[in-house]
Amino acid sequence: MVRRSRFTTLAVRGSYDHAESANHLGSLSEPAYLATAQHFESAEAMRAAAAGECDAWVYSRRGNPTVGYLEATVAALEGYRVDAEVSAAVTTTGMAAVTLATMPFLSAAAGAKPNIVASPALYGSTVMIFNKRYGAERDVAVRWVRDPLSVSEWERCIDEDTRFLYAESPSNPMVQLVDIPALAALAGQARIPLIIDSTLATPALMRPLALGADVVVQSLTKAAGASGRSMGGAVIARHDIQARAQPSELTADFAGYLRSGPIRDMGSVLSPFNAWTLLSDIRELRGRVDTMSANALSVAQHLAASDRVAEVFYPGLPTHRSHGIAKRDMWLVDSDVNGREAVNRFGFLLCFRPVGGVRAAREFLDRLNLIWRANNLGQVKSTATIPAIGTHKQVAESGPESAPVPADMVRLSVGLEHLDDIIADLTQALDER
């Protein structure tokens, strides 16, 4: 029954149904198993659980029921309307999810020097993982695609040693999309996975697995956990993916492989308390992202019309390079049911460059009264930062050509405050003094 439910029903219910509730004294909410280990009735029960022969959780590094509820919910949302089996593994942070989604494919099993092909339009810490942790420390060649919108450039970078394709769509902070179906076709021809970080879209607006991607990364710290109380990440993958020189247990169920191997062994385990708070936040994902995205479009249009703003980056604006792809791929989930017309939504994040350069950008940030100066995004509270001195500071200082971030660009995450109040704060902060 759950798989036939609508998106919002899956978000509210997940895998916790009436039968599951009966096992927990009728509790309407998933219980928080704030315990590190499980008691066993006998030595044989312990052996069977440790061997994976029965449904048990043994030890919280190997699994926890509350964490399992979150994984089932995330898999159901990201796998909504996907014609494939989908499973998820949750992690301590979004960056842990990025690492776990990519590192297993870089093993030496293929007997050659591996390379990865990636969009340069990535979050700063992802760039550092690829350039420093993989490139400098492990001698993995990173092939940055100069123009992520050019499918032919992606194709030219792929060879027999390429292990995966990687992109953010939309990207942080430039909110640039890629053509996922076209890249999925390239990955399929090369028999390698396409990995998409879709944190900024969330499954409420776009589900890359439905567009052909093999693996999706989400930072649950962002819109999924919009209260800002907990950090978390997720790796969601279709079953039976293609990957060069990898064992069958990895390709058959990649997320399951991560749970039973790398996450268990390396200890990147989400706490049950954080899983419990994220479950509470994720229930209202669709409605929250709908309102935040509608507000963001109005804010982007307002800024684009201002003579105090030099440039606005938002995929909902016709001037954005990715606007055509966004119009095709970004839709409010289930907005087309019961004969209604589908609704485009373009996300809650936008960037702009105020007139006056770096000084103007910093003065603008300092003048904000309602909007918070913070480096997180996707929260119910609107936040603003300057990526060059915040989220992308390491990248900006190391100066790689692969990830340019304008020094005078402001990143704005639009929250749930009243639109009039958000625009009023932006207006007064942009005014010359």
Side-chain angles (χ1 to χ4, degrees):
M1 176 181 176
V2 173
R3 287 185 63 85
R4 295 196 297 270
S5 299
R6 294 290 186 190
F7 185 91
T8 51
T9 303
L10 294 173
V12 170
R13 178 173 173 171
S15 64
Y16 191 75
D17 56 15
H18 293 179
E20 188 71 13
S21 172
N23 294 328
H24 301 288
L25 303 178
S27 172
L28 292 181
S29 297
E30 298 91 338
Y33 281 84
L34 304 182
T36 58
Q38 175 185 5
H39 168 72
F40 296 97
E41 295 181 355
S42 66
E44 174 56 24
M46 180 183 289
R47 184 208 63 78
E53 296 174 3
C54 62
D55 185 16
W57 54 282
V58 184
Y59 182 56
S60 277
R61 182 163 55 81
R62 299 183 55 161
N64 176 282
T66 310
V67 173
Y69 292 135
L70 178 61
E71 289 175 331
T73 301
V74 170
L77 298 183
E78 201 65 60
Y80 186 60
R81 292 186 176 179
V82 175
D83 188 20
E85 289 295 316
V86 174
S87 55
V90 296
T91 64
T92 49
T93 66
M95 291 314 304
V98 171
T99 303
L100 286 159
T102 55
M103 186 174 57
F105 298 109
L106 300 176
S107 70
K113 180 180 177 181
N115 70 73
I116 60 181
V117 178
S119 164
L122 298 177
Y123 178 52
S125 293
T126 305
V127 174
M128 299 305 289
I129 284 179
F130 286 5
N131 276 341
K132 302 296 183 182
R133 307 287 83 82
Y134 293 164
E137 295 177 1
R138 300 189 178 194
D139 199 29
V140 174
V142 183
R143 298 177 177 178
W144 298 108
V145 179
R146 288 178 298 175
D147 181 5
L149 291 178
S150 172
V151 177
S152 61
E153 286 197 26
W154 285 87
E155 187 173 18
R156 281 195 293 271
C157 290
I158 300 170
D159 64 19
E160 64 275 7
D161 295 323
T162 301
R163 298 299 179 84
F164 58 82
L165 309 184
Y166 190 97
E168 288 180 16
S169 192
S171 65
N172 177 12
M174 304 293 283
V175 285
Q176 179 169 285
L177 285 81
V178 296
D179 190 338
I180 294 176
L183 297 187
L186 290 181
Q189 292 168 8
R191 300 187 63 79
I192 56 176
L194 170 62
I195 306 172
I196 299 292
D197 184 332
S198 186
T199 295
L200 296 188
T202 81
L205 302 186
M206 184 173 68
R207 291 165 305 286
L209 297 180
L211 297 173
D214 299 288
V215 180
V216 173
V217 172
Q218 291 281 351
S219 172
L220 302 179
T221 312
K222 308 305 189 291
S227 68
R229 296 187 178 95
S230 295
M231 302 185 77
V235 180
I236 310 98
R238 64 173 66 243
H239 291 191
D240 299 317
I241 63 174
Q242 298 184 104
R244 293 173 175 169
Q246 297 299 333
S248 59
E249 59 266 29
L250 181 151
T251 56
D253 179 4
F254 182 55
Y257 167 83
L258 293 179
R259 288 195 304 271
S260 63
I263 292 176
R264 177 199 65 194
D265 298 339
M266 297 176 188
S268 180
V269 180
L270 186 67
S271 79
F273 180 79
N274 283 2
W276 189 63
T277 61
L278 289 168
L279 275 167
S280 179
D281 282 342
I282 208 169
R283 301 191 202 282
E284 299 174 349
L285 179 66
R286 181 188 183 276
R288 188 168 61 239
V289 170
D290 182 19
T291 300
M292 291 161 61
S293 299
N295 282 348
L297 177 59
S298 295
V299 167
Q301 292 169 336
H302 173 80
L303 292 174
S306 172
D307 60 4
R308 302 296 305 147
V309 174
E311 190 173 12
V312 179
F313 304 90
Y314 186 66
L317 298 179
T319 54
H320 194 273
R321 287 193 70 209
S322 300
H323 180 66
I325 294 176
K327 285 277 289 183
R328 184 193 69 187
D329 293 345
M330 297 188 74
W331 301 92
L332 178 64
V333 63
D334 285 343
S335 59
D336 59 343
V337 301
N338 299 325
R340 292 175 294 184
E341 186 173 352
V343 176
N344 275 124
R345 286 285 185 260
F346 304 103
F348 49 82
L349 194 77
L350 60 99
C351 293
F352 67 95
R353 298 172 52 241
V355 172
V358 172
R359 179 178 177 180
R362 296 195 179 194
E363 289 178 348
F364 164 83
L365 202 68
D366 289 342
R367 291 175 186 152
L368 293 171
N369 294 323
L370 172 69
I371 298 168
W372 301 78
R373 289 176 288 276
N375 284 314
N376 198 15
L377 57 86
Q379 294 195 357
V380 295
K381 297 181 178 182
S382 294
T383 61
T385 186
I386 298 173
I389 63 172
T391 59
H392 287 64
K393 184 174 183 293
Q394 286 178 298
V395 176
E397 289 179 346
S398 60
E401 296 179 359
S402 60
V405 179
D408 61 346
M409 188 180 72
V410 176
R411 189 189 76 183
L412 176 64
S413 177
V414 180
L416 290 180
E417 301 93 346
H418 195 283
L419 177 61
D420 293 349
D421 295 327
I422 296 172
I423 288 180
D425 195 34
L426 293 170
T427 300
Q428 65 83 24
L430 282 167
D431 284 347
E432 280 189 293
R433 303 292 174 94

